[in-house]
């Protein structure tokens, strides 16, 4: 209930503030500054009075127009001044340089051509039923009625709030005592739980430390093992070197001599082979010649 009352109070207050602010703003722009429209950041709201644009825009709807827009195209909906100086919202049928012809969606005939300067703004969107509501609220009698209702409602609520405050004081004292008791109980339960948790944590901490110690010992043992293996390898190498038989070192002079001897032997062998081959060829040639002579002699 309290929340509902607060919401209703806020709604009434906002409506009153908005209506008063809009009326003051319109009064200053139209009456004092002599403007045709009271725009907000280049946007203006207008109430639809006729049904010339039905079914696109209905009577009683609130339309929003952009007065800063200057680029108009065919099929755009625009608001302009008619001959009598009233605002008309119709759709553009054709554009011929500065001459624009418009027509209402629900009208049979086209409007008289107007100059581009007569257009006030371009239609953006509409809000159903809001135009009628704002026109009703904007009347002086309606404003006075809303103000009276708001004042009475706020006065009644203030009386109820004073009564409720007196009642709530006693309740608050009782609640505070109950809260203190509950807090004490919670504190005791918390302390017990913390002690139990501390014990568990200490046990886990011990386990973790023990595991870390074992891991370190294992790593140190592996390093010690590697060192021992290296020492053993070195000892084995030393023993092998000590027990190995001593080999005679051949000097460079003996090797050179052997190489020279081998070369000379190979050369002699090659020469002997060459001689034998030449002798064999010579013998063959001689034999062939003798045979040839014998054959010739027999033919004669």
């Amino acid at each position: 209930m309290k929340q509902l009352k607060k919401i209703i109070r806020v709604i009434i207050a906002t409506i009153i503030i908005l209506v008063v602010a809009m009326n003051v703003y319109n009064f200053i722009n139209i009456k004092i500054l002599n403007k045709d429209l009271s725009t907000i950041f280049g946007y203006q709201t207008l109430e639809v009075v006729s049904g010339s644009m039905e079914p696109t825009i209905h009577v009683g709807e609130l339309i929003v127009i952009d007065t800063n827009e200057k680029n108009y195209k065919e099929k755009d909906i625009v608001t302009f001044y008619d001959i009598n100086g009233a605002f008309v919202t119709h759709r553009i049928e054709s554009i011929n340089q500065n001459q624009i012809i418009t027509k209402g969606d629900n009208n049979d005939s086209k409007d008289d051509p107007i100059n581009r300067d007569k257009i006030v703004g371009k239609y953006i969107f509409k809000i159903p039923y809001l135009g009628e509501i704002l026109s009703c609220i904007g009347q002086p009698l309606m404003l006075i009625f809303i103000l009276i209702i708001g004042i009475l409602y706020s006065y009644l609520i203030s009386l109820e709030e004073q009564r409720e405050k007196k009642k709530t004081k006693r309740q608050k004292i009782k609640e505070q005592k109950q809260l203190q008791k509950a807090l004490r109980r919670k504190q005791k339960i918390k302390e017990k739980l913390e002690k139990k948790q501390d014990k568990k944590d200490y046990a886990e901490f011990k386990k973790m430390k023990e595991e870390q110690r074992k891991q370190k010992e294992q790593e140190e043992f592996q390093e010690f093992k590697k060192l021992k293996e290296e020492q053993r390898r070195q000892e084995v190498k030393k023993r092998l070197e000590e027990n190995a038989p001593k080999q005679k070192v051949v000097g460079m002079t003996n090797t050179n001599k052997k190489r020279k001897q081998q070369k000379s032997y190979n050369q002699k062998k090659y020469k002997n082979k060459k001689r034998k081959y030449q002798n064999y060829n010579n013998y063959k040639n001689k034999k062939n010649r003798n045979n040839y002579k014998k054959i010739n002699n027999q033919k004669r």
Side-chain angles (χ1 to χ4, degrees):
M1 287 296 289
K2 287 181 181 180
Q3 289 180 353
L4 278 171
K5 286 176 184 177
K6 283 181 182 179
I7 290 161
I8 292 162
R9 198 172 179 181
V10 168
I11 289 164
I12 291 165
T14 50
I15 289 165
I16 291 164
I17 290 161
L18 285 170
V19 170
V20 170
M22 287 292 290
N23 286 322
V24 170
Y25 183 74
N26 290 330
F27 179 78
I28 290 164
N29 282 315
I30 293 165
K31 298 291 182 184
I32 296 169
L33 300 174
N34 294 322
K35 290 182 179 180
D36 295 329
L37 291 169
S38 58
T39 59
I40 300 167
F41 303 111
Y43 297 96
Q44 175 62 33
T45 56
L46 295 171
E47 182 190 352
V48 179
V49 180
S50 67
S52 61
M53 281 298 291
E54 288 182 354
T56 307
I57 303 169
H58 296 280
V59 178
E61 291 181 339
L62 191 78
I63 61 168
V64 179
I65 60 170
D66 185 6
T67 57
N68 294 324
E69 183 65 41
K70 298 297 178 186
N71 294 322
Y72 306 115
K73 300 174 184 177
E74 290 183 4
K75 304 299 178 183
D76 285 346
I77 298 169
V78 293
T79 301
F80 57 91
Y81 293 108
D82 63 356
I83 298 165
N84 299 321
F87 293 116
V88 179
T89 302
H90 282 174
R91 196 183 295 279
I92 294 171
E93 287 291 319
S94 62
I95 299 170
N96 186 8
Q97 293 179 356
N98 287 329
Q99 293 290 320
I100 294 172
I101 297 169
T102 59
K103 178 182 172 295
D105 290 352
N106 199 23
N107 292 345
D108 296 328
S109 60
K110 293 180 181 179
D111 302 327
D112 294 330
I114 58 167
N115 287 326
R116 193 181 282 269
D117 298 334
K118 293 285 183 180
I119 296 172
V120 178
K122 185 179 176 180
Y123 166 81
I124 299 170
F125 63 91
K126 64 179 180 179
I127 303 167
Y129 308 111
L130 191 61
E132 292 178 353
I133 293 163
L134 289 174
S135 65
C136 290
I137 292 167
Q139 292 176 4
L141 290 171
M142 196 69 182
L143 283 170
I144 292 162
F145 181 69
I146 289 165
L147 285 168
I148 290 164
I149 288 167
I151 291 160
L152 287 170
Y153 184 75
S154 60
Y155 177 71
L156 291 169
I157 287 169
S158 63
L159 287 172
E160 286 182 1
E161 283 178 353
Q162 285 176 3
R163 288 174 189 170
E164 285 177 357
K165 281 178 182 178
K166 289 177 183 178
K167 287 179 182 179
T168 51
K169 276 183 183 178
R170 294 173 185 173
Q171 289 178 357
K172 280 181 181 178
I173 292 162
K174 287 180 181 178
E175 285 175 358
Q176 283 177 358
K177 287 178 180 178
Q178 288 175 357
L179 281 168
Q180 285 175 359
K181 287 179 182 178
L183 286 169
R184 285 170 190 167
R185 286 174 189 169
K186 282 181 180 178
Q187 193 66 29
K188 286 178 181 178
I189 292 162
K190 233 186 212 180
E191 287 173 357
K192 286 179 181 178
L193 290 169
E194 282 176 357
K195 284 178 182 178
K196 285 181 181 178
Q197 192 65 36
D198 288 339
K199 286 179 181 178
K200 286 180 181 178
D201 292 339
Y202 184 69
E204 286 178 2
F205 176 73
K206 271 187 172 180
K207 282 181 183 178
M208 186 182 72
K209 283 286 181 186
E210 189 67 26
E211 286 175 358
Q212 286 178 357
R213 188 182 63 76
K214 285 179 181 178
Q215 193 173 359
K216 279 183 181 178
E217 284 180 357
Q218 191 68 24
E219 288 174 358
E220 288 174 358
F221 173 70
Q222 291 294 333
E223 288 178 359
F224 177 75
K225 198 174 179 182
K226 285 178 183 178
L227 287 169
K228 281 287 180 185
E229 284 178 357
E230 191 65 29
Q231 286 176 3
R232 285 169 193 159
R233 283 175 189 168
Q234 287 178 0
E235 286 175 1
V236 170
K237 275 184 182 180
K238 281 180 182 178
R239 285 174 190 170
L240 289 168
E241 286 174 359
E242 288 172 359
N243 296 326
K246 292 181 180 179
Q247 294 178 356
K248 290 181 181 180
V249 178
V250 180
M252 290 297 290
T253 54
N254 294 330
T255 53
N256 287 330
K257 282 178 183 179
K258 283 181 179 181
R259 282 176 187 170
K260 283 179 181 180
Q261 287 173 3
Q262 188 70 30
K263 273 184 184 181
S264 62
Y265 175 75
N266 289 331
Q267 284 175 1
K268 284 177 182 178
K269 199 175 180 181
Y270 175 73
K271 282 178 183 179
N272 290 328
K273 278 184 181 180
K274 199 173 180 183
R275 282 174 190 168
K276 280 180 183 179
Y277 181 73
Q278 284 175 359
N279 292 328
Y280 177 75
N281 283 334
N282 291 328
Y283 171 77
K284 229 179 177 186
N285 289 326
K286 280 180 183 181
K287 198 175 182 181
N288 287 330
R289 280 176 196 167
N290 292 325
N291 289 329
Y292 179 75
K293 283 178 181 180
K294 280 178 183 181
I295 290 161
N296 285 327
N297 291 322
Q298 286 174 5
K299 282 180 180 180
R300 285 177 187 177

